[in-house]
Amino acid sequence: MSSPAYAVVNLDALQHNLQIVRQYAPHSKIMPVIKANAYGHGMLRVASALQSADAFAVARVDEGVRLRKAGITNRITVLEGFSCTHELDALLTYQLNPVVHSFSQVIMLETRTELNACSIWLKLDTGMNRLGFNAEEFYVAYQRLIQNPVIKGPINLMTHLANADDIQDTTTIKQTSKFNDTIAALLNEQMIESERSACSIANSAGILAWPVTLSDWVRPGIMLYGISPFPDTTGEDWHLKPVMELHSRLIAVKSLNKGDKVGYAGTWTCNKPTKLGIIAIGYGDGYPRHTMEGTPVLVNGHRVPLIGRVSMDMITVDLKSQPQAKPGDSVTLWGKGLAIEEIANCANTIPYTLVCGITQRVRFIEHSFNDLNLIANILNH
Ligand SMILES: *Cc1c(COP(=O)(O)O)cnc(C)c1O
């Protein structure tokens, strides 16, 4: 028997969303960000579906190694770079391109003797204050790296936006100016050969809302999965198509009387007789525990409200408006007709955490137009 909880990954939607990136950034190369198991969608699955991309970006060395071992030959950027010689060994062996953001990395690279062995992205911190060099350090790091025979030139240059999902906030403009000014200063001092160093600034929010952030490379993550990076819009508003749907089934229906309480701690009390539906999904599957009472769930395509606490394996819904619902009926937690952005709001979180949080127990089903054709063919013969 397979688990009642399953996620459908729509590979055609993924292709469609890549096409939307191309429309917004027609002159940029695209580096789909497939870190954290491709935001929970399955890293190898997504990499195979997006092999036409110019490169991929992952966060960690081991993610890049997994891609190589699976036969992915695209360029691969490792956004966190490396923090020990073991990781540097793996980067060189598997031809992964690290982000270099600290002097301890510069020093580690200076201990190597291989020639032209490693392409890198040098990271400027323009205000995120997470990874990256400040402007003065950036010049020094650049000088040292350009003289290091291990580095395969040109050195690519990048920064990361801290608040591009707030389209009122001028931080993005400031960060972009700082990046461009710093690179212009490097150019003035003829430290870099202009045409050869590629630059990259934009994440999804940059691509969609901040044309000034478009440069040689863009790094879309969340938008590829059909999800809006902005708190007040859905992917659909940007013509994106959701890639992941989360489904399960009703496993029990029961009648409640006035005064009955539901679930752990009995946080919901029935005020007039109704029907209760029990659904096989819980925080053990990645449905967030803090999802509020009243959050919509689709039962046979109709919205019903969540009631009581989310438990590990189950949630409960009020079936007042769907009294004919019965065990075995299909349930959608997010997907067609129920935007993940809406569920994220109801759970007081962002959609990123919902897709990343799907657990091992959930079955994954891939869906694409080609598969449908295949099924149609099988049915016709
Ligand atoms: C995760 C990440 C991205 C992608 O961000 P989205 O908001 O998902 O588009 C881009 N660049 C860096 C450095 C990242 O860490």
Side-chain angles (χ1 to χ4, degrees):
M1 266 317 289
S2 49
S3 158
Y6 65 98
V8 179
V9 174
N10 183 337
L11 300 175
D12 296 330
L14 202 55
Q15 302 280 1
H16 167 88
N17 298 335
L18 181 61
Q19 208 47 47
I20 300 284
V21 177
R22 290 200 176 104
Q23 281 171 23
Y24 276 90
H27 308 297
S28 304
K29 288 187 172 160
I30 302 173
M31 188 191 305
V33 180
I34 57 172
K35 62 193 180 189
N37 199 27
Y39 293 45
H41 294 69
M43 183 175 67
L44 299 179
R45 172 184 297 129
V46 169
S48 311
L50 297 182
Q51 277 191 40
S52 67
D54 304 291
F56 290 116
V58 292
R60 310 262 165 87
V61 176
D62 61 320
E63 293 173 324
V65 171
R66 255 186 78 212
L67 286 170
R68 284 284 181 258
K69 285 186 171 165
I72 298 295
T73 55
N74 307 52
R75 292 161 72 169
I76 298 174
T77 304
V78 178
L79 296 168
E80 287 182 1
F82 54 96
S83 52
C84 62
T85 51
H86 191 68
E87 284 182 345
L88 182 52
D89 287 342
L91 285 169
L92 297 180
T93 305
Y94 291 98
Q95 289 295 296
L96 308 171
N97 310 331
V99 169
V100 174
H101 52 75
S102 75
F103 281 114
S104 71
Q105 293 174 316
V106 174
I107 291 164
M108 267 189 263
L109 284 164
E110 285 168 348
T111 65
R112 307 300 296 214
T113 52
E114 299 90 336
L115 293 181
N116 275 331
C118 192
S119 288
I120 61 166
W121 284 90
L122 183 61
K123 186 166 191 177
L124 179 70
D125 185 351
T126 51
M128 176 101 177
N129 284 313
R130 204 174 55 178
L131 296 181
F133 295 100
N134 68 31
E136 293 94 84
E137 294 169 341
F138 192 72
Y139 299 132
V140 177
Y142 187 88
Q143 283 301 313
R144 281 172 67 169
L145 290 163
I146 202 87
Q147 288 163 28
N148 182 342
V150 174
I151 304 300
K152 185 168 163 201
I155 295 176
N156 304 303
L157 310 169
M158 69 172 295
T159 192
H160 190 41
L161 300 171
N163 204 28
D165 56 322
D166 181 348
I167 51 178
Q168 311 297 336
D169 184 5
T170 55
T171 301
T172 300
I173 300 294
K174 290 184 193 133
Q175 284 192 267
T176 304
S177 307
K178 188 161 187 177
F179 183 74
N180 292 335
D181 293 349
T182 306
I183 284 158
L186 267 185
L187 265 175
N188 273 341
E189 295 175 36
Q190 289 177 328
M191 287 179 180
I192 57 176
E193 294 147 89
S194 57
E195 354 21 23
R196 300 210 311 133
S197 273
C199 294
S200 178
I201 305 173
N203 54 5
S204 298
I207 293 164
L208 292 171
W210 302 93
V212 293
T213 67
L214 302 176
S215 51
D216 303 311
W217 285 86
V218 293
R219 308 188 307 270
I222 199 75
M223 72 179 286
L224 281 173
Y225 307 102
I227 299 170
S228 169
F230 307 103
D232 50 354
T233 61
T234 64
E236 217 183 315
D237 296 330
W238 299 93
H239 306 288
L240 299 166
K241 293 186 180 166
V243 175
M244 185 199 286
E245 301 204 344
L246 182 63
H247 299 279
S248 190
R249 289 198 296 262
L250 263 181
I251 55 170
V253 173
K254 63 174 62 179
S255 299
L256 286 190
N257 296 315
K258 187 169 189 278
D260 288 345
K261 292 178 189 296
V262 173
Y264 286 119
T267 56
W268 189 84
T269 308
C270 182
N271 60 17
K272 60 174 171 226
T274 188
K275 277 201 164 173
L276 179 74
I278 293 101
I279 296 166
I281 198 90
Y283 63 80
D285 304 289
Y287 191 81
R289 181 171 177 277
H290 289 106
T291 310
M292 292 184 319
E293 225 161 79
T295 298
V297 172
L298 300 183
V299 171
N300 296 325
H302 300 284
R303 284 182 175 230
V304 297
L306 179 81
I307 59 177
R309 278 198 189 155
V310 172
S311 51
M312 189 183 291
D313 312 309
M314 284 169 265
I315 59 172
T316 42
V317 293
D318 187 349
L319 291 176
K320 195 182 296 138
S321 64
Q322 298 299 317
Q324 76 295 354
K326 57 185 188 311
D329 283 359
S330 74
V331 171
T332 301
L333 289 314
W334 60 73
K336 201 163 183 287
L338 189 55
I340 191 170
E341 290 89 346
E342 182 176 354
I343 304 305
N345 282 334
C346 291
N348 200 15
T349 186
I350 53 175
Y352 293 74
T353 70
L354 299 191
V355 284
C356 282
I358 297 299
T359 66
Q360 290 255 306
R361 166 164 91 173
V362 175
R363 253 184 318 142
F364 272 77
I365 298 175
E366 284 174 21
H367 170 99
S368 80
F369 186 64
N370 290 337
D371 293 346
L372 285 184
N373 280 346
L374 195 71
I375 291 165
N377 283 338
I378 292 165
L379 292 176
N380 288 336
H381 286 93

